[in-house]
Amino acid sequence: MTTDHSTAAPTALTSRASLARLWPFVRPEAGRLALSAALALAAMVCGLVIPLIVQRIVDGPIAEKDLAGLWWPGGLLLLAGVGEALLFGLRRWVAARPATRVQAVLRQQIYDRLQELPVAYHDGIGSGQLLSRAVSDLSTIRMFLSFGAIFLVVNALTFLIGLGILFSLSWLLALVVLAQAVPLIVICARYESHYKVLARRSQDQVGDVATTVEESILGVRILKSFGRSAHLGREFFRQASALRTTEIAKARIIAKLWATIIALPEIALGVCLLLGITAVADGAMSAGTLVAFFTVAMILRWPIDSLGWLLSLLNDAASASERYFEVIDAPVTITSPAHPVRLPDEGAAGALTFQDVRFHFPDAADRPDVLAGIDLRLEPGATVAVVGATGSGKTALTALVNRMYDVTGGRVLLDGVDVRDLALTDLRAAVSVAFEEPILFSASVAENITLGRPDSTDEEVARAISVAQADFVYDLPWGLSTRVGEQGLTLSGGQRQRLALARAVIGNPRVLVLDDPLSALDIHTEAAVERALRSVLHSTTALIIAHRASTVMMADQVALLQDGRIAAVGTHQELLARVPAYRALLSSAEPDREPDHLRLSEGSVR
């Protein structure tokens, strides 16, 4: 179930602290970003020079009716205008590259982190939440770095430079302009705190919406089959409506802020205009000075008017940074040890031992253990089937072998070495897994099969395909180069399972963990796969989760899992003879689906 973060309380981090954490990523590009800011400031200065040139034109050639004197100030005016345009264009070109490089580094880090984080972390958060952090949140940060951060600085400096020019033209009128800045700062600070809460809520809600869309696309066949598209549509509408409400609340705050930001300067300019006209009429100010003052004041409208938008962009970026670092800061609880132990040589390799293994899921510490003291040993080359009722902990047991989860008590040993003492790369190279629900990637057939063994030879690939009875791949349009599509949905369920099985058996792993890998196969294909699998199982240690008698028949021994413990171990025939719970369990497991020679009875033989 997707975790709903839309109502999560904002963290205690301030906007400054959140954005400060980006500095290590920004530092290598700081010089280029500073150059971009310098170019923007130079462009703004060119714009501020224009009113001073106009002042000279009005008070000089125009006042004196000297048309010949217009050439040189006119040329300067043209030069300042062209310079402003070129500098702004150059600034945009310079800023784009460093900002996108920072975004690329951040995206690579969050991708790597998501791969490092344990499965338990992914169990507790919707994939849409993670997708929005890696895509939309990083786009928000990039926009802030390439534009928002630069112009927060540039506009502030432009305002100060422009204010200095205004004071040089008329200190009285400049004080009027300065006076409106004090209430503006107070109002902006007030609205910023409210907007930050809404910005975080909005980004979390975007993640929830993305999760719902992803689930509805991946599960479209189920939704259509059960006629539940409208039900999920209503849930999507609820989430989208909540997001819309939040966005409207954000817009309401921005509207009030913008109205204030626009109104105060307008009032100040109105007062300045009244005082300026009076001064010109009294002869205390020239017309050119008044024109220059108001031209500069109008140029300063952009730094002031943009303040609300830049502050909203700052808060959006701060919230995006918080969400990003929530993933980066999540603890990686399953790691390689500082000094890993090496597995013994391949000789008689593959002994797998569970010693008093206990386990509960991280979010279920207050509930009884799923595994409550498992003791089981698999000798090298042995095949052991684990059977048990639904919810007995079979899949949890298999997930401990290659440390998808770690035991909460006891030990899992591979060739006498605690799996927690092995480097993860060594452990997962030694243990191959095929899950009941096969996951394929949008890649070629060959790439899916060799996912865990990219250096596999053509002969090894062909052998794995033969073992998994996946010869259908040769009939695909481009053979092994055929792309199977997202989630492998261009293939049938049985075809996906066979490719997943081929991926598991390639490379002759020490230990093969199979979680009911043949459930989607018809009985004839299943029998063919089982026959081919025996050529692999005699040379590797195999732990098989079994739900049907046909799978159990492949095992040398069978372990019955009940209430988180191993209730009985023996051959299939022995357990049938002496364990009523085993007979009851298997006799209820799809009896009509089994071939006649595999139907269960007390007289069944292995």
Side-chain angles (χ1 to χ4, degrees):
M1 180 178 294
T2 301
T3 304
D4 186 356
H5 298 272
S6 59
T7 57
T11 65
L13 287 174
T14 64
S15 298
R16 182 183 301 174
S18 301
L19 293 172
R21 296 196 63 186
L22 295 173
W23 175 243
F25 303 95
V26 175
R27 185 188 296 113
E29 307 295 336
R32 296 178 181 86
L33 291 173
L35 175 60
S36 173
L39 291 170
L41 184 60
M44 299 292 279
V45 170
C46 284
L48 291 172
V49 167
I50 291 175
L52 300 180
I53 300 173
V54 171
Q55 179 193 18
R56 298 293 186 272
I57 292 174
V58 172
D59 289 343
I62 292 179
E64 298 170 2
K65 299 181 180 180
D66 178 16
L67 297 180
L70 288 174
W71 286 105
W72 73 266
L76 287 177
L77 199 63
L78 179 62
L79 184 63
V82 172
E84 182 182 16
L86 290 178
L87 287 168
F88 268 128
L90 186 59
R91 181 216 72 81
R92 183 176 290 274
W93 180 76
V94 169
R97 296 188 177 188
T100 51
R101 277 195 286 263
V102 172
Q103 182 188 30
V105 172
L106 289 169
R107 185 167 288 149
Q108 184 63 54
Q109 186 180 69
I110 196 173
Y111 178 84
D112 293 341
R113 192 64 167 185
L114 288 173
Q115 297 301 312
E116 295 171 353
L117 287 168
V119 174
Y121 175 84
H122 293 274
D123 291 342
I125 187 169
S127 55
Q129 286 287 344
L130 299 177
L131 186 63
S132 67
R133 283 162 165 81
V135 179
S136 61
D137 286 352
L138 291 186
S139 295
T140 299
I141 292 172
R142 175 185 56 78
M143 179 174 286
F144 175 73
L145 292 176
S146 64
F147 190 90
I150 289 173
F151 277 95
L152 276 171
V153 175
V154 169
N155 286 2
L157 292 176
T158 300
F159 183 79
L160 293 176
I161 294 171
L163 195 61
I165 294 174
L166 293 181
F167 270 100
S168 71
L169 295 171
S170 172
W171 64 268
L172 178 62
L173 300 186
L175 284 176
V176 175
V177 174
L178 183 60
Q180 51 101 27
V182 176
L184 199 59
I185 293 172
V186 174
I187 292 170
C188 286
R190 175 189 172 193
Y191 281 117
E192 181 187 4
S193 61
H194 294 300
Y195 185 87
K196 188 176 189 299
V197 174
L198 293 174
R200 173 58 195 254
R201 183 183 301 165
S202 171
Q203 289 165 334
D204 286 338
Q205 288 172 333
V206 167
D208 290 337
V209 168
T211 297
T212 299
V213 171
E214 181 187 33
E215 289 176 346
S216 65
I217 292 173
L218 294 179
V220 66
R221 291 168 174 77
I222 299 298
L223 294 174
K224 287 182 176 293
S225 298
F226 287 92
R228 298 296 284 172
S229 297
H231 169 74
L232 199 61
R234 287 190 293 271
E235 175 62 16
F236 175 79
F237 179 77
R238 183 192 67 78
Q239 292 178 336
S241 297
L243 176 58
R244 175 179 176 273
T245 300
T246 303
E247 290 296 328
I248 289 175
K250 284 172 59 180
R252 188 178 296 116
I253 288 178
I254 292 297
K256 292 178 180 178
L257 183 57
W258 272 67
T260 304
I261 289 174
I262 291 174
L264 288 176
E266 291 288 351
I267 294 171
L269 287 176
V271 174
C272 286
L273 182 60
L274 180 61
L275 295 176
I277 292 174
T278 303
V280 171
D282 293 340
M285 179 184 292
S286 69
T289 301
L290 182 61
V291 170
F293 185 94
F294 270 89
T295 306
V296 172
M298 293 305 295
I299 291 174
L300 295 184
R301 287 298 305 273
W302 156 245
I304 296 173
D305 288 353
S306 65
L307 184 60
W309 181 63
L310 292 174
L311 287 176
S312 69
L313 189 57
L314 180 145
N315 280 288
D316 286 338
S319 295
S321 180
E322 286 178 13
R323 283 163 47 86
Y324 175 84
F325 284 108
E326 283 174 0
V327 177
I328 301 301
D329 292 341
V332 179
T333 55
I334 296 179
T335 61
S336 296
H339 304 287
V341 177
R342 295 188 61 85
L343 284 169
D345 294 336
E346 292 282 348
L352 183 64
T353 307
F354 297 87
Q355 289 184 351
D356 192 28
V357 167
R358 299 176 179 276
F359 175 74
H360 60 256
F361 290 99
D363 60 348
D366 57 339
R367 296 197 290 269
D369 287 348
V370 175
L371 302 176
I374 298 293
D375 288 296
L376 183 65
R377 177 172 173 80
L378 284 71
E379 297 296 337
T383 299
V384 175
V386 177
V387 300
T390 300
S392 60
K394 302 185 298 297
T395 298
L397 184 68
T398 61
L400 301 177
V401 179
N402 63 350
R403 296 187 69 196
M404 290 295 102
Y405 297 92
D406 267 342
V407 298
T408 52
R411 299 192 300 168
V412 178
L413 305 177
L414 177 57
D415 290 325
V417 180
D418 192 319
V419 294
R420 292 169 294 186
D421 294 332
L422 295 169
L424 285 175
T425 52
D426 292 344
L427 172 63
R428 290 169 183 173
V431 179
S432 283
V433 181
F435 299 102
E436 181 178 7
E437 293 294 333
I439 300 296
L440 300 180
F441 295 89
S442 184
S444 69
V445 170
E447 288 170 328
N448 272 285
I449 293 175
T450 61
L451 182 67
R453 301 285 194 279
D455 56 347
S456 299
T457 64
D458 292 342
E459 291 75 15
E460 290 172 328
V461 172
R463 177 175 177 271
I465 290 172
S466 176
V467 169
Q469 296 294 293
D471 300 280
F472 68 87
V473 299
Y474 299 118
D475 298 325
L476 294 175
W478 294 278
L480 293 177
S481 298
T482 303
R483 295 183 71 85
V484 298
E486 186 180 19
Q487 298 287 317
L489 294 179
T490 55
L491 304 175
S492 70
Q495 289 174 328
R496 293 198 299 273
Q497 272 199 336
R498 280 179 279 171
L499 284 185
L501 183 59
R503 180 170 61 201
V505 300
I506 197 170
N508 294 318
R510 292 191 184 213
V511 176
L512 187 60
V513 178
L514 305 177
D515 188 353
D516 199 21
L518 311 179
S519 60
L521 305 184
D522 62 77
I523 57 175
H524 302 293
T525 304
E526 180 184 3
V529 172
E530 288 170 353
R531 286 195 298 271
L533 259 179
R534 293 183 191 279
S535 65
V536 174
L537 296 180
H538 82 275
S539 61
T540 190
T541 305
L543 180 65
I544 304 176
I545 300 300
H547 292 93
R548 293 175 293 171
S550 57
T551 308
V552 170
M553 305 286 276
M554 298 169 59
D556 302 314
Q557 291 215 311
V558 182
L560 175 63
L561 188 59
Q562 281 186 315
D563 300 323
R565 291 183 172 83
I566 299 296
V569 177
T571 65
H572 170 59
Q573 187 176 9
E574 291 170 349
L575 296 187
L576 281 176
R578 61 182 175 85
V579 183
Y582 180 74
R583 291 197 300 272
L585 180 67
L586 288 195
S587 63
S588 63
E590 304 179 276
D592 294 335
R593 194 180 184 281
E594 303 295 342
D596 290 340
H597 70 284
L598 293 180
R599 297 250 175 105
L600 293 176
S601 68
E602 296 241 5
S604 296
V605 295
R606 255 183 101 253

